[in-house]
Structure formats: structure tokens, C-alpha cells
Amino acid sequence: MATDTIYEVSQDLKLQYPKKYKVYLLNDDYTTMDFVIDVLMNIFRKSYEEAQDIMLEVHKKERGLCGVYTHEIAETKVMQVLTKAKDNGFPLKATMEEE
């Protein structure tokens, strides 16, 4: 038995990159600069010099950009910051914004 099957392939396939999100640390009057540097080095994998620059940006401009990630990774980074801060008795906050 012969079967003639025709397949139609759409050439209009459009792939999109996932949206990116910026993660910021927010300034407060209680979290120590050393703790912020530690968070930046351990959670965001920044060098000491990069961490110091971001920490100063947080201090002077009320927030500092830590990195740009996909939604799931950005959300995880924010939660890691909040957990580490709470465990160490600091009110440090992190937020994420769509790029």
C-alpha cells in the first residue's frame, strides 16, 4: 500500500532570546561595606575590585548594578542575597528589573 504524505514546514519560525533582568543591591544605613563586598564576591562572583566599585555605587547612588541575568537566575540571586543578609542580621535588599 503506497501512501503519499506531504509535510509542510513553516519558514516563519522566529526564535526569541529570553528576557534579561538587572539585579541591584539597595543602600541602607545598617549593612556594613564589608558584608556588601562579601555578597558581591560570593553570590555575584565579582573580583574584590569590582565588588568594591559596586559597593561604592550602592553607597553613593542608593543602588548598584550587580549583573544582568535571565529571569530564573536573577530571581535566585535576589533570594540568595535576602537569605544571606537575614542569616547575618542585616537588612540588605536586592531587586530585579526587566532590561
Side-chain angles (χ1 to χ4, degrees):
M1 174 155 84
T3 306
D4 292 326
T5 306
I6 300 172
Y7 293 99
E8 185 178 322
V9 179
S10 173
Q11 297 297 323
D12 296 331
L13 183 62
K14 293 180 183 178
L15 297 177
Q16 294 181 346
Y17 289 101
K19 291 180 182 177
K20 297 286 188 160
Y21 293 81
K22 296 177 181 179
V23 177
Y24 292 96
L25 286 184
L26 305 179
N27 191 33
D28 64 69
D29 293 331
Y30 302 100
T31 306
T32 64
M33 292 179 175
D34 288 337
F35 183 75
V36 173
I37 289 173
D38 180 63
V39 164
L40 289 163
M41 290 175 67
N42 290 302
I43 294 176
F44 296 97
R45 302 293 180 221
K46 302 295 182 185
S47 68
Y48 180 79
E49 291 76 19
E50 290 173 311
Q52 195 171 29
D53 290 344
I54 296 169
M55 178 272 299
L56 290 172
E57 183 180 350
V58 171
H59 182 69
K60 292 176 183 175
K61 297 181 180 177
E62 298 299 315
R63 72 179 191 168
L65 179 63
C66 303
V68 181
Y69 309 95
T70 60
H71 186 271
E72 293 79 13
I73 294 173
E75 195 172 51
T76 299
K77 299 278 186 191
V78 168
M79 293 308 300
Q80 288 174 328
V81 169
L82 298 178
T83 300
K84 186 175 179 83
K86 183 179 177 184
D87 290 349
N88 287 275
F90 291 113
L92 182 65
K93 300 283 186 246
T95 62
M96 56 188 267
E97 296 176 3
E98 189 174 326
E99 188 173 45

